[in-house]
Amino acid sequence: MSVSKIGRQFQGRWIWQNISFELFPGDRLAIVGSSGAGKSLLLRVLAGLDSIQSGQIIFQNCPLSTLDMPQFRAQVMYLHQQPALFEGSVESNLQQVYKLAIHRDRTYDRAKILAYLSSLDRSADFLERSVEHLSGGEKQIVACLRSLQLSPQVLLLDEPTASLDKTTTEQLEILIAQWQRTDALKAYIWISHDPEQIERVTDCQLALSGSPLPHA
Amino acid sequence: MNNYIPIDNWQLALAAALILINIALSLGLRLGLARKLGIAALRMVVQLLLVGYVLGWIFALDNPLWVLLLVFMMSAIAGNASVNRTRRRFPSIYWNSFVSILAASGFVTGLLVEGIIHIHPWYDPQYVIPLLGMVLGNALTGTSLALDRLMEDLVSRRSQIESLLALGATRWEAANETLKEALRTGMIPTINSMMVLGLVSLPGMMTGQMLAGVNPTNAVRYQIIIYFTLAAGTALACISVILLAFQVLFSPEHQLRLERLRKIDA
């Protein structure tokens, strides 16, 4: 994935401009910067949820604008900071995505989910629980599993552990690491405010400055 | 129409005195409604008298162009009123609402007068105008409820919709539930009123025909075909306005474009 000179305007003002970087298979990239620097906006742009006003994003040699978005997003998945789940059990949430046209040719793999869960010391009972009784951390785990089971190539993690306690944070890191080990080509971008976490889970950093550069 | 009694000015004034009951109550109980009641009563009288003169004039002209012009004007007012009852705006909302209401109401009213009642000439304002008016009124209520529900839901369910998009859903898949809910909301008043029709409420048109001396069984037949027309017109107008809003609020790149939505102060 290659990003060249992209800029994002919001209500007539540039949030950031001239951002260029490349993400190679297997990369573990951190995005750091103060609050309001537009880190989330950058990830949303990379997931195609927002448009850019200048520059170009290229994925596997094709410009983003020419790609079929659902197909692109099945490979480059964005994980929201606040997980949004649907009414029902954990398992129904995990199964629901297979109804989408883009994933219809695949089937829900319970064994795979159970394998992920066992690494978090959780049993199959977790799948039966209703999502409204889950803690914030558990919801984030469900949202994460929902994406991981579809084995995307790239994960865009928007402060997934921002509101989680230490244990759940570790569990989430375990999940992501496990997913990445399945295939050396898998890459992710992780936004975090925690320097220790960045040290643990990423190899390189992209720093966004809060104030726009004068010459930009 | 043998026993129809026209109402003269003196009788009108006498009936207007009834508003004094409301005003006395409001003053006595300090409801603070006296001023609003007065304005509402005055508007009602002026608007209706004016409409009476305009309609009388157009009925007398008996010219299709004038009838069509009135059709457009009534639709424009309905489209405008429909949007004004909602709490958010997007750039083409007034236009979308007008087009949806005009197309849906025009279509079903046309079917009714041409295909079912067979009036001659096709533009006979005595039929076209009152029938269209009823269809418009119902479509107005439906579309404003549907639009309002749709826009509020898109805002409140934003994270769910964007989660689906991020998981690879098309914009259609991501919005599907929200669109259906909006359509359901738009149709509920029509369905509810059909349920209790005749039991709880005697519809205005039927009552009017009976006052004009029409046999109740004939008046009921008119009311039945009107209701089928209303239901069809409202459904079409709601679907149209929802789909047009969907086109605006979701981009072809499968993005939710909430920045196009602006909240207005009530």
Side-chain angles (χ1 to χ4, degrees), chain B residues 2-252:
Chain B
N2 37 13
N3 53 357
Y4 178 76
I5 308 169
I7 293 177
D8 63 27
N9 286 341
W10 174 240
Q11 288 166 306
L12 267 189
L14 216 55
L18 283 173
I19 193 84
L20 291 178
I21 294 179
N22 297 59
I23 290 177
L25 268 176
S26 174
L27 289 178
L29 299 174
R30 294 175 200 282
L31 299 179
L33 290 175
R35 205 181 123 80
K36 272 204 160 163
L37 267 172
I39 295 175
L42 195 69
R43 275 191 62 160
M44 187 266 290
V45 171
V46 172
Q47 285 166 359
L48 284 183
L49 285 179
L50 271 178
V51 164
Y53 282 120
V54 170
L55 288 183
W57 182 59
I58 286 179
F59 279 29
L61 279 176
D62 203 22
N63 179 326
L65 281 181
W66 283 104
V67 174
L68 283 181
L69 186 71
L70 191 64
V71 166
F72 272 89
M73 271 182 55
M74 287 165 71
S75 303
I77 294 170
N80 192 56
S82 162
V83 174
N84 283 342
R85 292 190 203 168
T86 63
R87 288 166 281 178
R88 295 176 198 273
R89 298 282 182 278
F90 54 85
S92 56
I93 188 169
Y94 283 100
W95 182 241
N96 288 358
S97 162
F98 167 64
V99 168
S100 303
I101 289 180
L102 174 67
S105 307
F107 176 68
V108 295
T109 310
L111 274 186
L112 179 63
V113 297
E114 269 300 288
I116 298 172
I117 308 183
H118 301 298
I119 61 164
H120 283 288
W122 62 267
Y123 57 84
D124 186 352
Q126 185 200 335
Y127 287 88
V128 171
I129 299 303
L131 292 177
L132 180 82
M134 284 185 282
V135 177
L136 282 179
N138 223 65
L140 186 169
T141 311
T143 50
S144 77
L145 287 172
L147 262 181
D148 193 52
R149 180 63 187 257
L150 176 66
M151 296 190 291
E152 295 305 314
D153 272 5
L154 286 180
V155 172
S156 65
R157 302 184 58 195
R158 175 184 183 169
S159 62
Q160 290 199 350
I161 293 170
E162 289 202 322
S163 286
L164 280 173
L165 290 173
L167 287 162
T170 62
R171 57 177 174 160
W172 183 250
E173 288 172 323
N176 201 280
E177 277 306 309
T178 316
L179 302 184
K180 280 200 283 193
E181 199 49 49
L183 181 57
R184 205 172 291 142
T185 307
M187 288 306 295
I188 282 174
T190 308
I191 295 169
N192 281 352
S193 64
M194 283 207 276
M195 288 281 184
V196 297
L197 214 60
L199 300 177
V200 179
S201 63
L202 284 180
M205 193 218 60
M206 197 174 104
T207 323
Q209 283 197 328
M210 277 152 59
L211 280 174
V214 173
N215 181 331
T217 49
N218 280 340
V220 163
R221 284 170 179 272
Y222 254 91
Q223 192 62 51
I224 290 172
I225 59 171
I226 294 294
Y227 251 91
F228 283 128
T229 315
L230 289 187
T234 305
L236 286 178
C238 286
I239 290 175
S240 163
V241 86
I242 288 170
L243 289 182
L244 289 172
F246 170 76
Q247 291 293 334
V248 174
L249 296 171
F250 285 83
S251 72

Side-chain angles (χ1 to χ4, degrees), chain A residues 10-210:
Chain A
F10 185 69
Q11 292 176 342
R13 192 173 64 88
W14 288 101
I15 308 286
W16 32 253
Q17 252 181 316
N18 281 327
I19 294 182
S20 304
F21 66 90
E22 283 186 88
L23 186 76
F24 294 103
D27 273 0
R28 308 194 303 165
L29 175 68
I31 297 183
V32 296
S34 55
S35 301
K39 300 188 295 294
S40 290
L41 285 176
L42 178 55
L43 278 203
R44 288 176 56 88
V45 157
L46 295 181
L49 288 171
D50 288 335
S51 304
I52 41 174
Q53 282 68 48
S54 68
Q56 201 177 29
I57 299 172
I58 293 175
F59 180 68
Q60 293 175 344
N61 298 323
C62 298
L64 201 57
S65 48
T66 65
L67 290 172
D68 175 53
M69 269 301 144
Q71 207 162 5
F72 168 74
R73 291 188 189 131
Q75 290 172 284
V76 179
M77 248 175 225
Y78 174 76
L79 213 60
H80 287 77
Q81 184 175 353
Q82 298 293 335
L85 302 176
F86 298 86
E87 260 180 60
S89 68
V90 169
E91 193 157 35
S92 73
N93 266 276
L94 296 176
Q95 287 170 328
Q96 199 189 21
V97 289
Y98 292 97
K99 290 187 190 138
L100 301 177
I102 192 79
H103 304 302
R104 209 164 277 162
D105 50 339
R106 310 195 221 184
T107 47
Y108 171 63
D109 185 353
R110 196 162 201 255
K112 190 173 172 182
I113 296 291
L114 288 175
Y116 274 124
L117 283 179
S118 71
S119 65
L120 307 180
D121 291 327
R122 285 173 192 274
S123 66
D125 296 344
F126 184 66
L127 294 177
E128 310 302 323
R129 291 180 58 188
S130 159
V131 291
E132 53 184 305
H133 298 127
L134 297 183
S135 71
E138 288 170 325
K139 281 184 186 162
Q140 190 59 276
I141 285 175
V142 175
C144 190
L145 281 174
R146 182 171 64 179
S147 299
L148 291 187
Q149 64 176 347
L150 301 166
S151 20
Q153 282 304 306
V154 180
L155 263 190
L156 306 170
L157 301 154
D158 190 353
E159 297 193 61
T161 60
S163 51
L164 308 191
D165 59 39
K166 197 157 169 282
T167 334
T168 346
T169 302
E170 278 169 11
Q171 292 192 334
L172 205 98
E173 289 176 9
I174 292 173
L175 273 186
I176 305 285
Q178 227 180 349
W179 157 76
Q180 213 205 5
R181 268 202 303 274
T182 59
D183 180 352
L185 298 180
K186 299 202 182 296
Y188 60 72
I189 302 181
W190 195 314
I191 295 182
S192 174
H193 279 291
D194 177 2
E196 284 175 29
Q197 184 178 47
I198 290 173
E199 188 71 26
R200 275 199 306 274
V201 299
T202 62
D203 308 312
C204 43
Q205 292 186 6
L206 177 77
L208 279 187
S209 64

